[in-house]
Amino acid sequence: PAAKAFDSMNNIVAHTLSALTASVRFPGALNTDLSDISSNLVPFPRMHFLIPGFAPLYSVRDLKYQPARIDALFTDVLSVHSQLVCADVRHNRFLACGLLLRGDVVASEAQRALNRLRPQLQLCHWNPDSFKLGLCATPPVGQPHACLALSNNCITARVLRDLLSRFGRLYKRKAHAHHFTEYMESSRFDEAKEAAEAVAQDYEAVQAQQPSEHAQNIMDQLITPPA
């Protein structure tokens, strides 16, 4: 059972990294390299944490998996059960999001699916067109298409808060600290904690932002559900 659990985890990691680098290994209509990801998904230098989601999540040995349509694929990749971090991105504000598709998908079909999805999400009023699409023509093994989502989302604040809480409980007892203090000053722990708290506060501030009436009207015009 333990070996199978590690096999499943390694399978997820392999699929994720394969999707992330597919555009530099295979041709595609809208190939996206790693520099495009950093330049399009990181509006502020300190807020550079991307939450990955992958759909479909399946094992290479799972022959019963039924491929999903592109609309369903976009919905699935942002659902809570497809995130590789314990986070619900759909109920928090997006700063930006990359959707990297693999398989035989035309740009117009992907754009239509994205237009249907966008009104369902919380977007920053200063970046309503916050999605980066990537299309790689080569599908993953055993499936006609797949999608990797990289979400720069305000739920990162909660993830960091949980991490800081666990760190605080350990550091209070100096658990395992001696492994690190042999090579660095203990003050570095406090500096790292302060840095993580500052980033969490930045994400919380963006989540709490409310657009002006004028900004909201412009956003409503830009994000119109398709008829």
Side-chain angles (χ1 to χ4, degrees):
K4 289 184 178 180
F6 277 105
D7 285 346
S8 298
M9 182 172 63
N10 289 335
N11 180 65
I12 292 173
V13 173
H15 278 303
T16 302
L17 293 178
S18 177
L20 182 62
T21 60
S23 62
V24 300
R25 295 181 287 115
F26 304 111
L30 287 174
N31 266 351
T32 303
D33 61 28
L34 298 182
S35 62
D36 289 334
I37 292 172
S38 61
S39 61
N40 286 276
L41 304 186
V42 183
F44 304 105
R46 196 158 64 173
M47 304 169 75
H48 57 256
F49 296 89
L50 305 180
I51 295 177
F54 190 80
L57 278 177
Y58 68 97
S59 168
V60 292
R61 291 189 287 261
D62 187 3
L63 302 178
K64 298 180 180 179
Y65 181 82
Q66 296 297 320
R69 296 175 59 246
I70 299 303
D71 285 349
L73 195 66
F74 276 13
T75 300
D76 287 346
V77 79
L78 295 179
S79 65
V80 65
H81 66 263
S82 292
Q83 305 310 301
L84 306 189
V85 177
C86 185
D88 187 358
V89 296
R90 289 183 69 99
H91 291 90
N92 291 268
R93 181 164 287 138
F94 284 85
L95 282 73
C97 182
L99 296 170
L100 309 183
L101 281 157
R102 293 187 64 183
D104 185 16
V105 182
V106 296
S108 58
E109 182 183 8
Q111 191 61 53
R112 281 195 299 270
L114 179 58
N115 291 340
R116 295 188 186 97
L117 176 67
R118 187 183 280 114
Q120 305 171 26
L121 305 176
Q122 298 181 41
L123 307 177
C124 292
H125 66 276
W126 39 262
N127 190 21
D129 191 19
S130 54
F131 289 87
K132 174 67 175 177
L133 273 178
L135 299 179
C136 175
T138 303
V141 175
Q143 292 299 325
H145 39 62
C147 184
L148 171 67
L150 299 172
S151 303
N152 195 339
N153 188 280
C154 290
I155 192 61
T156 301
R158 199 218 68 195
V159 174
L160 290 174
R161 295 291 184 192
D162 290 345
L163 179 65
L164 286 167
S165 176
R166 295 196 298 271
F167 167 78
R169 289 195 296 269
L170 289 172
Y171 191 55
K172 186 177 181 180
R173 297 184 283 112
K174 303 296 182 183
H176 310 295
H178 64 281
H179 294 298
F180 301 92
T181 53
E182 293 180 15
Y183 309 101
M184 70 181 200
E185 297 293 331
S186 60
S187 60
R188 293 293 183 90
F189 286 115
D190 299 319
E191 294 172 5
K193 180 180 178 183
E194 291 174 2
E197 287 177 342
V199 174
Q201 290 172 3
D202 288 345
Y203 277 107
E204 288 165 349
V206 172
Q207 179 67 33
Q209 284 179 355
Q210 295 298 327
S212 65
E213 183 177 352
H214 177 66
Q216 186 62 52
N217 289 336
I218 294 176
M219 194 169 180
D220 291 340
Q221 295 173 12
L222 292 173
I223 305 176
T224 304

